[in-house]
Amino acid sequence: MTESVVTIEEIESDIVKVTMQDRVNKNTFSDELVSGVKKAFKMIDSNSEYKVVILTGYDNYFSSGGTKEGLLAIYEGKQKFTKLDIYNLPLDCRIPVISAMQGHGIGGGFIMGLFADFVILSRESVYTANFMKYGFTPGTGATYILEKKLGISLAEEMLLSANNYRGAELEKKGITFPVLPRADVGDYALELARQVAEKPRLSLITLKDHLVRKMRKELPEVIQQEVIMHEKTFFQEEVKERINELFGK
């Protein structure tokens, strides 16, 4: 299957790679990207041979999160971040997912990557939970998955400061993910995928279901709480000003 900005490639009979490459919008959650990623995971779910997914981006970008238009639409009350509904696709996927985050992971794009079963970062790329940069509280499950994957101290730091971090900086802070030169992320992800794919598909599905069952159960309540926080914080005039002034900077 090929979308204009999302491709799905069968690397080997049991390994599939989903590549996000909306070069015009730098892999923000454009309508085309969201539609393409949803279709890709739907197709993967219907396949009975695949054992592992590699999710990646292009060049210097993994995913840049919400679009400026999307954020302003939330401010204007026209939509909620739950409409996107792609950040949790790696979690809900039946088979293991590897986030090969070779490029920048921004906001909801970074969070989507963290919902994978395996996460690989690059030393050169920027990773940020920058929601508060614009003055509104985090969404897309960020308040949940950052603590789960990075620990409470670093999660609070990233969420409250909204700072940018190079992969090399996060490595120094003790994150447990592999952090590699950008050029090596893809090869590492493929080797890892081959190691996973050596196991029986049924066993992989059964074990993943057991390992993430609690997360799948808890996440909807967290999302509801994030929506409630948005209703308190998103409609400040300062938020609109920050989105218009700071988006993309």
Side-chain angles (χ1 to χ4, degrees):
M1 181 202 76
T2 302
E3 287 284 332
S4 58
V5 298
V6 177
T7 61
I8 180 167
E9 177 185 3
E10 189 175 288
I11 302 297
E12 296 173 4
S13 61
D14 46 13
I15 299 173
V16 61
K17 181 169 76 170
V18 177
T19 303
M20 301 175 288
Q21 46 190 351
D22 188 344
R23 296 173 183 272
V24 173
N25 297 297
K26 296 181 178 179
N27 273 0
T28 53
F29 290 161
S30 63
D31 290 343
E32 294 83 5
L33 186 84
V34 170
S35 174
V37 173
K38 285 183 176 180
K39 288 180 180 179
F41 274 92
K42 184 176 181 180
M43 178 175 287
I44 290 166
D45 190 54
S46 67
N47 184 284
S48 61
E49 301 298 325
Y50 295 149
K51 295 181 178 181
V52 60
V53 182
I54 299 172
L55 177 65
T56 193
Y58 75 93
D59 297 346
N60 297 347
Y61 290 92
F62 174 73
S63 177
S64 302
T67 64
K68 182 178 181 179
E69 294 74 18
L71 296 180
L72 289 173
I74 296 176
Y75 171 81
E76 294 166 0
K78 296 178 180 179
Q79 70 178 51
K80 298 180 180 180
F81 74 83
T82 50
K83 180 183 177 182
L84 295 173
D85 200 28
I86 66 168
Y87 52 88
N88 58 334
L89 287 177
L91 175 66
D92 291 340
C93 185
R94 297 176 67 205
I95 58 177
V97 178
I98 300 169
S99 276
M101 300 176 71
Q102 88 307 325
H104 308 315
I106 311 297
F110 179 46
I111 301 308
M112 177 174 65
L114 291 181
F115 273 110
D117 304 285
F118 301 91
V119 177
I120 309 164
L121 305 183
S122 87
R123 291 174 183 160
E124 306 95 321
S125 297
V126 169
Y127 304 99
T128 178
N130 63 343
F131 307 90
M132 290 286 280
K133 171 183 176 180
Y134 304 108
F136 59 84
T137 50
T140 65
T143 60
Y144 180 80
I145 198 62
L146 274 166
E147 180 182 351
K148 284 285 186 184
K149 292 298 180 76
L150 303 183
I152 183 62
S153 296
L154 184 53
E156 286 191 326
E157 177 183 329
M158 295 190 76
L159 289 169
L160 289 169
S161 72
N163 285 339
N164 294 340
Y165 300 80
R166 296 283 178 182
E169 295 177 72
L170 293 176
E171 185 177 29
K172 289 180 180 178
K173 288 179 176 290
I175 65 168
T176 58
F177 310 139
V179 182
L180 308 170
R182 178 178 292 138
D184 295 341
V185 170
D187 289 342
Y188 184 96
L190 179 56
E191 180 57 32
L192 176 59
R194 286 171 172 156
Q195 292 174 16
V196 174
E198 291 174 354
K199 287 72 177 178
R201 173 181 156 89
L202 177 60
S203 298
L204 290 170
I205 291 173
T206 302
L207 181 56
K208 173 170 178 173
D209 184 62
H210 172 75
L211 292 173
V212 304
R213 184 185 301 272
K214 186 177 181 182
M215 293 173 61
R216 288 171 175 167
K217 181 179 180 180
E218 292 175 343
L219 184 59
E221 183 178 350
V222 173
I223 296 300
Q224 289 179 5
Q225 292 300 314
E226 289 183 343
V227 169
I228 291 171
M229 288 194 295
H230 272 192
E231 292 171 352
K232 293 180 179 179
T233 65
F234 220 110
F235 305 112
Q236 304 173 80
E237 181 65 24
E238 183 181 354
V239 169
K240 180 181 179 181
E241 294 172 356
R242 283 172 173 261
I243 293 171
N244 282 318
E245 293 174 8
L246 302 176
F247 191 90
K249 296 181 180 179

